[in-house]
Amino acid sequence: MNTRPIIILNYGERTPDSLARRIRDFSVFSEILPIDFAAEKIRKIDPIGIILSGSEIFIPQKDAPLPDRDIYKLGIPILAVENGALIMTHQLGGKIKFSERTKPGWDEVRIDPDCPLFVNLEPVQEVYFDSSVQIENIPNGFKDIAFSDLREHVAFADESNRLYAAQFSPDPAKTNPGKRILDRFLFQICGADGSFTLDTYLKNQIKTIKKAVGKEKIILGLSGGVNSAVVAAILSAAVPKQLTCVLVDHGMMRKNEADEIERAFRGKSLNIIRVDASARFYKKLSDVGDPDKKRKIIEEQFYKVFAKQAERIGGIKILALGTIYPDLIADGINKVSPARAQHTVRELPKDAGFKELVEPLRFLFKDEVRKLGRMLGLPEEIISRPSFPASGLALRVFGGITREKIEAFRDADAILTRELSKVAPFPNRVSAVLTDLQAIDPEASSDSGKFALVLRSFPTEDYTHNTGEPIQLPLETCRRIARSVFQGTDAVKRVVLDLKDDSQSFRSDFQDD
């Protein structure tokens, strides 16, 4: 990237990419790095500013990872938020304490309107605190810039060295004035120029790909999802006629998905090989119910089918992947969850024969990928489709995989997608699973042995980051979905709405393609 970024050093933040994505809305590039990333490496990156972020409770420990103390000497503006403020306090000589008097939650704070971080904001703001730990003494050279009746030192600054700290988050999703606070930090304190655009990103990627690929042939696995489709469009523009896409139909793609993908790339400067391997996958998954085992089997079989096609083509040394930025975050910032394994495992088997990876989406978030796809002229039916796991419908069908269950769920999923497309803003925020429970109607024997469909809603499109309450689907929408499903497929006789607040149990079934 040619633009100077904002660096976010992450300390246990469950959703670090939420803040990073908000910064992109200001046309400022953001990058997330581990909390202990070396100051000298940061200096070489030459960021315009640093944010210390963390929601995990910070308790000073001997072996706990901490920022390199030299970051405070780089002369780069730093904003420490939430527990990042506790870390800055601890490292610069202040004192923190645990308080039973305060609990996580919303509170009113009074701000210093003369501070550059709060200029032109209303004097009283409502913000959210994520911790019960308080700051007893702030470091020397700092002064308070926000005040609360319940907490001490809620925000403080050493303006001469451009060091700022707040025990609340500037993420607009957590704090009412968050957007304006970010604006002040990015433009008034850091001097951002707002030059990051997807158009510039695309041009840089095409230039980079041309240089890296040269005249070599390149191969890509088309999953039917948005990511791989956008990668194919970028590569066909960057290196025309050098790309071969292998579309492995494992029998668990969405309704008409393989046909839509082929149609979308008809006439493009690339070659598509479509392989029907459904019988192979059904056989391997017929008695497998565990989601992690399903993933592993699908990954292994997909690679075998894919590698066989690459061998037939011959001479291919470069593999393209649809890795996006949340995958890198899960891989390098936090421990890799099983749900992300299919996306973040980027070390190829030793016998793969590929010498290089090309990942043109590796610094983009999901919604940015969709925007890029529209810029490249991909059909809306592909760009706007709900997020989907690379393993297809398999992880959304409980129990062993059979053709009957997949066909039933494929029809129900298509109906759900169609009905949700009529109701904003729900299309990419609701999905379903086909349970292994059979719907039995004691008064209608014809219903015996039929399946139950469970709907699940999420606060945002990216299911990996949803830890709050599900969105509320209107009752009439639920009724219409149920009626349409019952009319459209004989195999589903019950539609159930899951209202569990914590989406952890569902998260592994709703990963992005």
Side-chain angles (χ1 to χ4, degrees):
M1 297 298 301
N2 294 327
T3 184
R4 295 176 65 197
I6 284 285
I7 295 295
I8 298 175
L9 298 182
N10 178 56
Y11 184 88
E13 171 63 66
R14 293 184 297 273
T15 58
D17 36 348
S18 174
L19 181 56
R21 180 62 193 88
R22 299 286 183 174
I23 291 172
R24 301 275 182 96
D25 288 336
F26 293 92
S27 297
V28 176
F29 187 71
S30 55
E31 186 173 355
I32 301 172
L33 296 173
I35 191 69
D36 54 358
F37 200 75
E40 179 58 24
K41 292 182 178 180
I42 292 176
R43 186 189 63 78
K44 291 180 179 179
I45 294 174
D46 191 28
I48 59 173
I50 298 170
I51 295 179
L52 300 184
S53 176
S55 61
E56 183 174 293
I57 295 178
F58 171 70
I59 301 175
Q61 294 178 349
K62 183 178 180 180
D63 298 326
L66 291 172
D68 185 333
R69 288 178 182 269
D70 287 340
I71 66 169
Y72 304 110
K73 303 175 184 177
L74 292 174
I76 299 171
I78 298 177
L79 173 61
V81 299
E82 296 185 283
N83 285 305
L86 305 180
I87 293 174
M88 177 185 280
T89 299
H90 171 70
Q91 288 195 296
L92 296 182
K95 187 176 180 180
I96 65 176
K97 65 178 180 179
F98 180 80
S99 173
E100 295 183 355
R101 190 168 72 98
T102 58
K103 303 293 182 183
W106 292 92
D107 189 16
E108 284 190 349
V109 299
R110 301 178 300 280
I111 63 172
D112 178 358
D114 294 327
C115 175
L117 197 63
F118 302 137
V119 65
N120 292 330
L121 294 183
E122 292 78 9
V124 178
Q125 296 288 343
E126 188 175 26
V127 300
Y128 186 83
F129 292 93
D130 206 22
S131 173
S132 296
V133 180
Q134 285 207 45
I135 295 171
E136 187 172 357
N137 296 312
I138 59 178
N140 291 334
F142 284 76
K143 68 174 184 178
D144 289 308
I145 56 175
F147 310 87
S148 164
D149 293 334
L150 297 178
R151 299 169 187 265
E152 298 179 77
H153 312 299
V154 295
F156 46 96
D158 176 356
E159 294 181 12
S160 62
N161 290 306
R162 296 188 294 175
L163 302 179
Y164 299 85
Q167 292 189 64
F168 53 87
S169 173
D171 187 339
K174 295 182 178 181
T175 296
N176 291 339
K179 185 175 182 180
R180 289 180 290 172
I181 292 174
L182 275 180
D183 180 276
R184 275 43 166 196
F185 180 69
L186 295 175
F187 295 99
Q188 296 193 26
I189 296 173
C190 297
D193 60 10
S195 62
F196 173 71
T197 66
L198 285 180
D199 183 62
T200 301
Y201 181 91
L202 177 59
K203 290 177 181 178
N204 287 339
Q205 284 299 313
I206 289 177
K207 183 178 179 180
T208 300
I209 291 168
K210 286 179 179 291
K211 183 177 180 180
V213 174
K215 296 183 179 180
E216 295 285 349
K217 291 187 286 186
I218 186 168
I219 193 168
L220 166 70
L222 277 179
S223 68
V226 179
N227 298 352
S228 58
V230 174
V231 171
I234 293 174
L235 293 174
S236 66
V239 284
K241 300 182 180 180
Q242 293 174 237
L243 172 65
T244 296
C245 295
V246 178
L247 178 57
V248 178
D249 186 351
H250 47 34
M252 292 164 287
M253 301 178 79
R254 287 171 287 199
K255 196 174 185 70
N256 302 323
E257 193 164 47
D259 294 337
E260 290 174 359
I261 289 292
E262 277 196 307
R263 185 165 59 249
F265 288 100
R266 191 174 296 150
K268 300 285 186 181
S269 298
L270 52 78
N271 180 41
I272 292 184
I273 298 174
R274 181 171 174 177
V275 183
D276 183 357
S278 56
R280 174 182 189 144
F281 281 84
Y282 288 149
K283 182 178 180 181
K284 294 288 184 180
L285 297 167
S286 61
D287 59 353
V288 180
D290 182 80
D292 291 337
K293 290 181 179 179
K294 284 182 181 179
R295 286 189 190 92
K296 186 175 182 181
I297 291 172
I298 292 171
E299 182 180 322
E300 290 175 348
Q301 296 304 313
F302 183 94
Y303 171 71
K304 288 179 180 180
V305 175
F306 184 82
K308 186 175 182 180
Q309 296 302 317
E311 183 180 354
R312 286 180 176 176
I313 299 169
I316 296 182
K317 298 179 181 179
I318 303 176
L319 173 66
L321 294 177
T323 312
I324 62 176
Y325 200 43
D327 299 333
L328 295 184
I329 295 169
D331 195 4
I333 306 300
N334 304 311
K335 293 181 179 179
V336 180
S337 66
R340 277 292 185 186
Q342 59 184 317
H343 305 292
T344 59
V345 175
R346 296 162 59 243
E347 293 185 4
L348 301 175
K350 293 181 180 180
D351 61 348
F354 302 117
K355 304 299 182 183
E356 189 174 347
L357 291 179
V358 170
E359 301 170 291
L361 306 179
R362 67 195 311 268
F363 290 114
L364 297 184
F365 291 99
K366 189 70 176 187
D367 65 305
E368 293 176 312
V369 173
R370 294 188 192 276
K371 291 176 183 177
L372 199 59
R374 293 186 178 95
M375 290 169 55
L376 290 162
L378 288 176
E380 192 63 29
E381 64 187 15
I382 291 177
I383 295 304
S384 62
R385 63 175 31 143
S387 299
F388 200 61
S391 49
L393 299 172
L395 299 186
R396 300 187 186 182
V397 173
F398 288 8
I401 299 300
T402 65
R403 190 177 294 274
E404 177 195 13
K405 289 167 73 174
I406 288 293
E407 290 296 341
F409 187 47
R410 198 194 319 272
D411 289 340
D413 178 73
I415 293 168
L416 174 64
T417 300
R418 183 191 68 208
E419 292 300 326
L420 289 172
S421 68
K422 304 174 184 176
V423 188
F426 302 121
N428 296 323
R429 297 166 66 182
V430 180
S431 200
V433 295
L434 190 74
T435 72
D436 214 18
L437 301 174
Q438 294 184 335
I440 306 298
D441 186 342
E443 298 181 1
S445 60
S446 61
D447 282 358
S448 298
K450 303 304 182 181
F451 301 108
L453 189 75
V454 180
L455 304 183
R456 174 71 188 181
S457 63
F458 299 88
T460 64
E461 176 185 355
D462 192 339
Y463 307 120
T464 59
H465 306 146
N466 288 308
T467 56
E469 294 184 11
I471 58 174
Q472 298 299 311
L473 281 174
L475 180 59
E476 184 52 40
T477 298
C478 295
R479 286 173 174 163
R480 186 170 64 249
I481 290 171
R483 285 195 299 267
S484 298
V485 169
F486 298 151
Q487 293 170 1
T489 173
D490 293 331
V492 176
K493 289 301 180 182
R494 291 289 182 276
V495 175
V496 182
L497 184 63
D498 184 351
L499 297 177
K500 183 175 174 59
D501 284 356
D502 183 8
S503 60
Q504 180 67 47
S505 60
F506 263 69
R507 210 169 298 158
S508 63
D509 297 320
F510 296 104
Q511 299 306 306
D512 294 349
D513 54 87

